[in-house]
Amino acid sequence: MNSRIFTREEEAVLGEIGITYTVHPGHLVYMKGDPADRVYYIKKGRVRIFENLYSGREMTLDVAEAGRIFGESAFVPGNTRPASVEAVSRVTLISFKMADILPYFRSRAEFALHFLQLCSNTMDHLTARMEEQCLLDRFGKVASYLLDVTEKNSQDKGIEGGAVPYTHEDLSVTLGLNRSTVTMVLKEFEQMGCLERGYGYLNVKDRKALKEIVEGQKNR
């Protein structure tokens, strides 16, 4: 799910028809209610898709990383954004209009197929995230996310051998948890031997133990 699907040639096409720009951490890409006129492809970095609840809290719906698309509400003319999106890290985006990419779909069937695969992956990813929000507590949420993000090595994301270049603050923003809560959970996981903490990185040491935590909460 986290692997890149577009080929380099297809990324180049997006770069030609779209606008490439950088968004700094904490800055909004768009807000809920904004006109949905463009789709976004992530070349580098991570964005957080979130909802503002009536209570004033923010609920993180998903975190999209390099190789993903978001902003699919722009598929239908006249739509508005159903949620807000902000940069978690320094992120490089390509924004484009569907009308500009359709001619390439007609001439390159594989390009259209890859686009549909990315949309399908997004739906699967959101379904998994919603399940976690409903079924998992703070320990389960952190464990599930660490398992997901370290499932495959990724040079783009700096992930190798279970190690991720994430700080406690990164996880706090990503999962919508207090930083102190994240720190407490990570400290307990470290005491259990599940992971190793370092300056600016986390290293998963025992995937089996983390999986047992997640599955135990889902099955209770």
Side-chain angles (χ1 to χ4, degrees):
M1 186 180 299
N2 292 321
S3 300
R4 286 182 183 267
I5 291 178
F6 283 144
T7 65
R8 293 188 182 277
E9 291 75 15
E10 290 165 348
E11 284 192 0
V13 169
L14 291 178
E16 290 172 5
I17 66 174
I19 300 170
T20 301
Y21 64 102
T22 298
V23 181
H24 294 281
H27 287 217
L28 288 170
V29 179
Y30 56 72
M31 292 185 64
K32 179 178 180 178
D34 285 349
D37 55 354
R38 304 184 77 87
V39 182
Y40 297 82
Y41 177 72
I42 307 172
K43 286 194 69 175
K44 294 181 181 179
R46 306 190 305 281
V47 301
R48 180 173 71 102
I49 303 165
F50 67 95
E51 174 77 69
N52 289 306
L53 304 179
Y54 289 111
S55 64
R57 293 178 56 249
E58 290 182 354
M59 177 180 178
T60 298
L61 303 175
D62 192 17
V63 174
E65 300 183 308
R68 295 269 303 278
I69 60 172
F70 66 93
E72 295 92 337
S73 50
F75 290 173
V76 179
N79 269 356
T80 57
R81 301 298 185 188
S84 301
V85 179
E86 72 173 4
V88 175
S89 60
R90 181 183 174 91
V91 63
T92 302
L93 301 173
I94 302 176
S95 72
F96 56 92
K97 294 185 176 182
M98 288 304 298
D100 295 330
I101 200 174
L102 287 178
Y104 292 91
F105 287 173
R106 298 189 183 101
S107 60
R108 306 182 188 189
E110 193 173 78
F111 194 2
L113 176 60
H114 289 166
F115 201 92
L116 289 173
Q117 287 176 333
L118 281 172
C119 292
S120 176
N121 285 355
T122 295
M123 292 301 297
D124 291 344
H125 202 68
L126 283 172
T127 299
R129 293 285 83 80
M130 290 301 97
E131 181 183 59
E132 290 169 5
Q133 288 290 335
C134 295
L135 299 179
L136 304 182
D137 65 13
R138 58 193 183 278
F139 292 96
K141 289 175 182 177
V142 173
S144 179
Y145 184 74
L146 289 175
L147 287 170
D148 184 45
V149 78
T150 60
E151 184 177 5
K152 296 180 180 178
N153 291 339
S154 172
Q155 185 175 0
D156 289 330
K157 304 167 191 173
I159 299 170
E160 184 175 358
V164 293
Y166 292 176
T167 65
H168 296 200
E169 183 66 24
D170 289 334
L171 286 183
S172 172
V173 172
T174 297
L175 297 175
L177 298 172
N178 291 332
R179 190 184 186 284
S180 58
T181 298
V182 169
T183 298
M184 181 270 292
V185 171
L186 294 177
K187 183 177 181 180
E188 184 156 336
F189 283 170
E190 186 173 44
Q191 292 173 345
M192 293 167 57
C194 296
L195 62 80
E196 174 187 41
R197 295 183 296 165
Y199 182 74
Y201 79 92
L202 301 168
N203 188 15
V204 174
K205 309 294 288 185
D206 190 342
R207 293 183 63 84
K208 181 180 178 181
L210 293 179
K211 286 181 180 178
E212 289 175 351
I213 292 171
V214 175
E215 292 304 316
Q217 292 188 12
K218 288 183 178 180
N219 295 328
R220 66 189 175 187

